[in-house]
Amino acid sequence: QVQLVESGGGLVQAGGSLRLSCAASGRTFSNVAMGWFRQGPGKEREFVATISWNADNTYYADSVKGRFTIARDNAKNTVYLYMNGLKPEDTAVYFCAASQWASMTTRSDWYNYWGQGTQVTVSS
C-alpha cells in the first residue's frame, strides 16, 4: 500500500509560520521529484513548490517565492514545506505529491501519488 500522509496544518495569524510534513510509506520516493500544491476556497488547484530527487534543485510559484522553502529527507522518506510570513491569501488545503520523474515539474498531471491534504488557515 502506497500512502502519503501530511501533518502540520492549522490556524495561524498573518505573519506567522507553519511547517508541513509529508511522510511516505509503501515504497521509497527518494528517486523522484516531489511537489506541493494548494487549493483555496472556490479556486482551482495551483502549484506551490517542487524539489528534485536529490534536492539539487528547487522551484517556487511567484506568489510564495522568498517566503516558503521546500526540503526533503530521503532517509526518512519525508518532504517538508516551511512557510514563513503567511498571508490570508495563503489559506488553502495543501497537498503533497510524488512525481513520475526525477526532474522537477509544475504540472499536476505529472504527479501520480497524492496526499490527503491538510488545511492551512491564515487569519488577519
Side-chain angles (χ1 to χ4, degrees):
Q1 181 178 352
V2 176
Q3 190 173 11
L4 302 178
V5 179
E6 298 172 324
S7 62
L11 176 65
V12 65
Q13 292 184 343
S17 301
L18 284 174
R19 185 190 73 170
L20 305 184
S21 299
C22 178
S25 61
R27 60 154 289 181
T28 180
F29 291 98
S30 61
N31 61 343
V32 297
M34 301 291 291
W36 287 93
F37 294 77
R38 67 186 183 186
Q39 186 169 13
K43 300 179 180 179
E44 295 184 351
R45 182 174 55 188
E46 65 177 354
F47 166 78
V48 175
T50 183
I51 186 168
S52 61
W53 73 278
N54 61 356
D56 283 348
N57 292 289
T58 58
Y59 184 77
Y60 301 89
D62 287 342
S63 60
V64 306
K65 193 173 299 181
R67 299 188 298 118
F68 290 11
T69 301
I70 187 171
R72 68 191 300 164
D73 186 340
N74 284 344
K76 297 181 179 179
N77 213 21
T78 301
V79 63
Y80 305 94
L81 185 68
Y82 297 88
M83 304 185 293
N84 300 305
L86 284 163
K87 305 174 181 179
E89 51 263 44
D90 295 319
T91 295
V93 177
Y94 283 72
F95 302 88
C96 68
S99 175
Q100 303 176 48
W101 313 106
S103 299
M104 301 182 299
T105 180
T106 64
R107 294 183 55 167
S108 61
D109 59 342
W110 284 17
Y111 292 82
N112 57 1
Y113 291 101
W114 292 81
Q116 79 287 350
T118 185
Q119 177 70 46
V120 172
T121 302
V122 184
S123 64
S124 59

